[in-house]
Amino acid sequence: MKVPFDKLDKAFENRVRLQIMSVLAVNDRYDFNSLKDLLDVTDGNLASHLKGLEKEEYILTIKSFIGRKPNTNYEATEKGKKAFKAHLDVLEALIKNQKSI
Amino acid sequence: MEENKIQQDLSSIRNMMERSSKFISLSGLSGILAGVYALIGAGVAYYLTGRPTPAGLVEGILSIIQNIKYLIEIGFIVLVASIATGFILTYRKAKRKGQSIWGKASRALLFNMSIPILAGGALVIILLYQGGNLGLLLPTTLIFYGLALVNASNFTFTDVKYLGICEIILGLIGACIPGYGLILWAIGFGLLHIIYGSVMYLKYDRESTI
């Protein structure tokens, strides 16, 4: 069987993006600061990856205020969840493939 | 992309899913200590209220009613000591594991735990004021504590759920056989915590210190 490398989603090639999607797959919503603490990345780095995922329409940005402080939350879209699941399926197939060799 | 990268990707996915939604820094050792405090507390209470034997069932209940003030004080001291120990040990473990003690997961854990605890606490106060069936006091604390654990278990180790179910069962047994409330309370808060804490310590704490 041919290994379906090309089926891996390019959007998830980066580790940080993959981690963001993992978090949003099991949590309805996650806010920017909690994500930053969890992934242990800088503001700029996280923001650019979030923007990348938003461009793919894999996540939604929800801006609100707590008192006067801006609070930005993120949610996975249906498209994003589907893409993430497909990516996991390919990873699984790749591993099975390697084991059978 | 070779096998190594795939393995790393998968383990980081798993890690993120777990750490983002579960507070996995609860200390097993604090469970053992909480159990020890509860056993000491129950021992003191037992000494104060006298031996509730089947023959002395009525006397047993009467002595509990007479000594209710001591029982509440003992319960309160045990509670405060357990929470303080749990907080300190969990804080240390969270620091070691690099997990925030006041993150999204720990807040969800506390929120979900506090609803049944507050409801149970309110019910205990109502029972005390009505002065009705005081034999139900100790079983009530066990049942609501068990409900709190089951409710909170979604946000931490799944093992907590089984501890909660055991506490609920013990509470219900205690409600059926009044006069034995103290013994069941000692089993529930003392023995079960020691067993649970030991299991958690062997299962999770030890591997993380290696």
Side-chain angles (χ1 to χ4, degrees), chain B residues 99-156:
Chain B
Q99 191 175 29
S100 163
I101 196 159
W102 193 237
K104 234 180 131 75
S106 61
R107 272 177 300 190
L109 176 72
L110 279 180
F111 178 73
N112 280 277
M113 196 160 176
S114 60
I115 295 170
I117 293 264
L118 291 176
L123 184 60
V124 164
I125 292 170
I126 292 167
L127 283 175
L128 275 174
Y129 269 99
Q130 288 186 337
N133 193 347
L134 291 179
L136 283 179
L137 270 188
L138 295 181
T140 303
T141 60
L142 276 171
I143 291 170
F144 277 86
Y145 178 61
L147 288 171
L149 290 180
V150 172
N151 210 22
S153 65
N154 287 328
F155 302 95
T156 182

